[in-house]
Amino acid sequence: MNDKTKDDILMEVKNLSKQFPVKKDRLIKNAAWLKAVDNVSLQVYRGETLGLVGESGCGKTTLGRCIVRGISSTQGEVIFHGEEGPVNFLDLKGSRLKKYRRDIQMIFQDPYSSLDPRMTVYDIISEPLRINRMGTGEEIDQKVKDIAREVGLNIAHLKRYPHAFSGGQRQRVGIARALATNPSIIVCDEAVSALDVSIQAQVINLLDELQYKYGITYIFVAHDLSVVEYISDRVAVMYVGQVTELADTGELFSRPLHPYTEALMSAVPKPDPRMRMERIVLEGEVPSPIDPPSGCYFHPRCPYRKPICETDKPELREVEQDHFCACHRAEELTLKGA
Amino acid sequence: MRKVNTVDDKLLIELKDLKVHFAIDEGLLKAVDGVDLNIYEGKTLGLVGESGCGKSVTSQALLRIVPPPGRIEGSILFQKSEGGTEDLAALPMDGQTIRAIRGKEIAMIFQEPMASFSPLYTMGNQIMEAIKLHRTKDEAEARAIAVEMFKKVGISNPEKRLDEYPHEFSGGMRQRVMIAMALSCNPRLLIADEPTTALDVTIQAQVLELMKELQKDLGMGILFITHDLGVVAEMCDEVAVMYLGRIVEKAPVDDIYHNARHPYTQGLLRSIPRIGSNLNEKLASIDGTVPVPLGLPPMCGFHERCDRKIAGLCDRKTPPLVEREPGHLVRCFLYGEEAQEADNE
């Protein structure tokens, strides 16, 4: 993804916010708001994998769900550039929404709870096809078998129920279900984090192959930085509901500009005892999005903070070409990559 | 690199041919099937493997908290602080002796900081329960010890936080309380069962640093159970890799990462994506899944997934765990005479 032009944009997330009411006081309804996603803007290019990383509670899952309209957003737009030109996916209703939903699919984190235990795997994979009336009974039957073969499921096992499958196999079922409607973009929400390493590698390779074959775009939500680095073309780092840094994967990992990215990468244990090194251990914990700190949300934990960080909120800006960062000191700091 | 198992190291616990079998309706489930391990004072032994390999059951056996219908065979020789050894495997599960050891001599950090506390009691109440059982009968003194432990694990404002309930603590803080609780009676062996799996990387880094520091101060032996090979590289002196209830490879940590001999260990290491590695390369994976240890014939448990299997050998005989290099044990036919014999045939 070297030459990005406007034509290559598949999806634009514009100023997206999602707030949840927190009922603290029963007399005054909705006394506080939890800003899970706070004014996020992103562009997703055709055929790329955009990684979305951050610690638990940073809003990465909520952002993914807002994008697929699994939950409604408080404000903002998700512009989808389909065959019929750009549309705001969040504005769509009725049959047009249903049509566009085929294009935007999701794979879930937990392969145990995201499949209906009372449906056979065949029914699970064919359900999106039946709902969208994508072909006659015979065509659907053929399609289900093709997809199942594609994701590496045994055709003979399709009449079984999810409990008869292992975690890795179930995740394949989840992928098959998402693939059924020929989507152009799939949001993978922690799609491999519940799997053992050897199985995780199988599923990552499968996702890679499918992308290569069908040109599917992924938004890959994960907390595991090494997995994200492996699979993504570009990576966005989130902290307390906001994107703090966004760049090409290689660039972000070798030359991070935001202190949070640096700390996050240094915290990942290296799978090599010869590389035991001093790490930046962040003090404290992620602040609550109900009552975030003033100025830069990261300043209470930041080892490089200056007085300005406590008062002024840094905007996400293009510090270098295609490298966005929300830090007052992005230009002056030299940070260590992985 | 830290040295491993020199003559000076004091043996703390010795597992000899430990077996934990569960007689269930479907047959005899061999969760742990002949494990030999030594843990030394002040050292960390890593126990690695995928889900279902028996690593957690091994740790439960040490504390004698294997749920029924689990049956323990073999021996668990624990060096008592007052001298002499005690075979934990032979003790009755609810007897006086094991109850005096449990929590005092051997303590455990559980996997889920969310689910391992009672929501009905304050944190202080829960941590003081163990202290009052093993160290002092005096309420005020127990509280003082608890406050001391909270300080040690880096919880600010300990007097106030002792009176708070588990839901008022975040995941990382709860794990700190868990560590404080486990260490409150100065155990000589700490079993850490996936202590950081549920935590975020930055919090994980804090907890790992804390465990390393406390080990340096208190000199306890640690059995570190995890599936995260990054954490193992960071924490352990020696590593044992488990597969299907058996140890398939055991070596000093550096050897595991740079001179792995067992195909399973090699596969595991290849299948983790590494930051900064060649991104165009396809990630190596191990085909297939772990079989269920129910009524398996004698064979190498890994042979179905192994790309270097020797037909007629790996699927018929169980390979022995053999010391191929000093301190480096491998359970694989590839490195033994059997392989050459099979070649000659």
Side-chain angles (χ1 to χ4, degrees):
Chain A
M1 297 301 301
N2 289 325
D3 306 307
K4 285 168 226 147
T5 60
K6 270 214 134 76
D7 302 341
D8 292 333
I9 293 177
L10 177 69
M11 184 183 266
E12 273 174 284
V13 177
K14 281 187 181 167
N15 306 92
L16 192 77
S17 294
K18 173 67 191 176
Q19 301 182 343
F20 293 103
V22 190
K23 284 168 197 153
K24 271 199 166 167
D25 192 328
R26 270 186 221 162
L27 284 175
I28 308 159
K29 231 181 159 188
N30 302 345
W33 292 91
L34 183 150
K35 290 182 187 167
V37 176
D38 191 4
N39 205 8
V40 167
S41 297
L42 285 174
Q43 283 159 354
V44 188
Y45 296 96
R46 220 172 278 278
E48 77 166 350
T49 302
L50 175 69
L52 217 53
V53 288
E55 295 179 88
S56 45
C58 75
K60 52 191 194 302
T61 295
T62 308
L63 177 60
R65 288 187 183 163
C66 284
I67 288 172
V68 298
R69 273 185 85 171
I71 52 176
S72 61
S73 311
T74 311
Q75 62 169 34
E77 297 174 3
V78 174
I79 310 287
F80 180 75
H81 296 254
E83 283 163 13
E84 296 165 22
V87 283
N88 183 2
F89 181 58
L90 301 187
D91 270 353
L92 295 175
K93 282 195 187 91
S95 60
R96 261 173 72 78
L97 170 62
K98 207 166 152 187
K99 183 162 163 273
Y100 274 94
R101 275 202 191 275
R102 290 180 207 163
D103 261 327
I104 304 173
Q105 288 288 326
M106 190 158 185
I107 302 170
F108 299 91
Q109 170 171 16
D110 183 357
Y112 291 88
S113 61
S114 60
L115 303 176
D116 188 338
R118 298 196 293 180
M119 285 169 83
T120 63
V121 163
Y122 182 91
D123 289 337
I124 290 171
I125 301 175
S126 64
E127 190 180 29
L129 295 167
R130 281 182 280 118
I131 287 174
N132 287 297
R133 297 177 205 281
M134 294 174 81
T136 61
E138 255 170 52
E139 282 166 5
I140 287 177
D141 186 62
Q142 192 53 45
K143 181 100 204 256
V144 171
K145 284 179 180 153
D146 287 347
I147 296 167
R149 222 173 272 131
E150 192 78 67
V151 299
L153 288 170
N154 190 336
I155 308 290
H157 298 167
L158 285 180
K159 289 288 174 206
R160 298 186 183 178
Y161 289 88
H163 71 84
F165 292 81
S166 65
Q169 293 292 318
R170 282 161 189 241
Q171 203 53 296
R172 286 172 197 270
V173 176
I175 293 172
R177 174 175 63 184
L179 277 181
T181 55
N182 295 326
S184 35
I185 183 163
I186 299 181
V187 175
C188 311
D189 184 12
E190 303 269 14
V192 298
S193 26
L195 307 173
D196 275 319
V197 275
S198 70
I199 311 297
Q200 177 178 305
Q202 292 174 6
V203 174
I204 291 175
N205 284 336
L206 172 66
L207 289 172
D208 244 3
E209 276 164 35
L210 293 170
Q211 179 167 54
Y212 181 75
K213 239 171 156 173
Y214 302 107
I216 304 168
T217 307
Y218 293 129
I219 295 180
F220 198 86
V221 181
H223 68 273
D224 186 335
L225 286 166
S226 37
V227 170
V228 168
E229 193 211 13
Y230 180 80
I231 203 162
S232 310
D233 299 301
R234 288 189 310 141
V235 176
V237 182
M238 283 185 76
Y239 191 71
V240 199
Q242 295 178 328
V243 173
T244 54
E245 186 163 4
L246 171 67
D248 282 351
T249 308
E251 170 82 8
L252 185 99
F253 279 82
S254 58
R255 291 191 325 109
L257 291 177
H258 199 286
Y260 177 61
T261 316
E262 184 193 38
L264 204 56
M265 285 191 304
S266 93
V268 181
K270 312 276 177 301
D272 185 344
R274 292 181 190 170
M275 282 163 64
R276 282 181 188 175
M277 53 167 201
E278 285 300 303
R279 18 175 142 79
I280 307 162
V281 177
L282 285 181
E283 292 163 24
E285 303 189 8
V286 183
S288 154
I290 300 173
D291 183 23
S294 63
C296 172
Y297 288 172
F298 185 58
H299 88 260
R301 304 174 81 192
C302 183
Y304 308 101
R305 65 174 168 260
K306 280 197 149 182
I308 183 178
C309 307
E310 288 167 34
T311 51
D312 291 13
K313 194 162 150 182
E315 292 299 317
L316 187 69
R317 59 205 161 88
E318 192 161 8
V319 179
E320 284 161 30
Q321 183 164 8
D322 295 329
H323 195 150
F324 298 82
C325 176
C327 176
H328 291 301
R329 305 188 64 195
E331 281 87 357
E332 39 175 321
L333 293 174
T334 319
L335 303 177
K336 230 171 48 207
Chain B
M1 205 185 89
R2 289 185 271 179
K3 273 191 204 149
V4 176
N5 305 346
T6 54
V7 197
D8 303 337
D9 286 332
K10 265 180 75 189
L11 187 66
L12 196 56
I13 200 163
E14 194 180 1
L15 309 189
K16 275 189 184 162
D17 198 29
L18 179 73
K19 287 179 183 164
V20 184
H21 293 178
F22 293 83
I24 53 174
D25 290 350
E26 288 82 5
L28 192 64
L29 187 116
K30 297 180 175 175
V32 178
D33 199 19
V35 162
D36 297 271
L37 281 178
N38 296 335
I39 305 171
Y40 298 86
E41 269 178 19
K43 299 279 169 181
T44 305
L45 172 71
L47 196 55
V48 191
E50 295 180 272
S51 26
C53 74
K55 53 190 195 303
S56 289
V57 176
T58 305
S59 70
Q60 288 171 351
L62 288 183
L63 277 175
R64 297 301 311 280
I65 50 171
V66 174
R71 271 198 52 224
I72 299 181
E73 282 170 46
S75 53
I76 304 170
L77 300 173
F78 182 67
Q79 305 288 327
K80 289 193 285 192
S81 45
E82 62 267 24
T85 55
E86 185 76 61
D87 185 3
L88 303 185
L91 294 172
M93 219 174 144
D94 49 0
Q96 282 293 323
T97 328
I98 188 69
R99 291 179 68 177
I101 290 174
R102 212 183 268 151
K104 168 122 183 52
E105 304 278 332
I106 306 176
M108 186 156 176
I109 301 174
F110 293 91
Q111 186 171 150
E112 293 227 358
M114 309 294 161
S116 308
F117 287 102
S118 163
L120 298 176
Y121 296 93
T122 62
M123 283 298 199
N125 205 321
Q126 298 187 49
I127 183 171
M128 277 153 62
E129 188 185 358
I131 299 172
K132 279 193 282 186
L133 198 61
H134 294 299
R135 284 182 68 178
T136 172
K137 293 273 174 282
D138 185 53
E139 181 85 23
E141 197 186 335
R143 195 177 167 89
I145 295 172
V147 168
E148 192 54 42
M149 287 317 297
F150 264 42
K151 275 189 200 148
K152 206 172 247 169
V153 296
I155 296 172
S156 52
N157 207 353
E159 277 91 357
K160 180 173 162 278
R161 301 223 74 180
L162 269 181
D163 295 324
E164 289 180 1
Y165 287 88
H167 73 267
E168 296 172 86
F169 287 68
S170 67
M173 279 297 157
R174 257 178 258 192
Q175 201 57 292
R176 280 166 190 262
V177 177
M178 179 86 86
I179 294 175
M181 201 167 178
L183 298 181
S184 61
C185 297
N186 297 329
R188 290 161 63 225
L189 173 65
L190 178 68
I191 303 169
D193 188 1
E194 308 253 8
T196 58
T197 307
L199 306 177
D200 280 315
V201 276
T202 61
I203 309 298
Q204 168 174 290
Q206 291 173 358
V207 172
L208 293 181
E209 290 296 319
L210 175 71
M211 286 182 67
K212 272 195 240 173
E213 263 169 46
L214 293 173
Q215 184 181 32
K216 219 185 277 167
D217 288 356
L218 307 172
M220 71 244 177
I222 299 181
L223 176 64
F224 201 103
I225 300 167
T226 181
H227 65 268
D228 185 330
L229 290 160
V231 174
V232 169
E234 193 92 18
M235 293 293 292
C236 301
D237 300 290
E238 200 183 10
V239 183
V241 182
M242 261 185 107
Y243 191 82
L244 219 57
R246 296 198 184 106
I247 304 238
V248 294
E249 184 157 13
K250 193 175 88 156
V253 67
D254 197 69
D255 264 17
I256 285 283
Y257 287 85
H258 293 282
N259 186 24
R261 306 294 289 272
H262 198 282
Y264 177 62
T265 316
Q266 292 169 348
L268 273 186
L269 288 167
R270 272 199 305 263
S271 58
I272 31 174
R274 290 157 195 255
I275 288 181
S277 60
N278 190 352
L279 299 174
N280 299 323
E281 240 170 69
K282 201 175 159 187
L283 207 54
S285 59
I286 308 174
D287 290 335
T289 48
V290 187
V292 179
L294 260 178
L296 295 176
M299 60 168 190
C300 168
F302 188 62
H303 86 270
E304 281 172 1
R305 305 175 74 190
C306 183
D307 50 8
R308 291 164 69 194
K309 60 176 166 278
I310 306 161
L313 184 60
C314 296
D315 49 357
R316 294 210 188 128
K317 277 202 244 169
T318 305
L321 188 64
V322 182
E323 186 160 12
R324 300 294 177 195
E325 285 162 46
H328 193 148
L329 285 78
V330 189
R331 189 190 286 279
C332 183
F333 285 126
L334 283 172
Y335 306 104
E337 293 91 42
E338 295 93 338
Q340 278 127 39
E341 278 168 27
D343 270 353
N344 294 338
E345 274 168 21

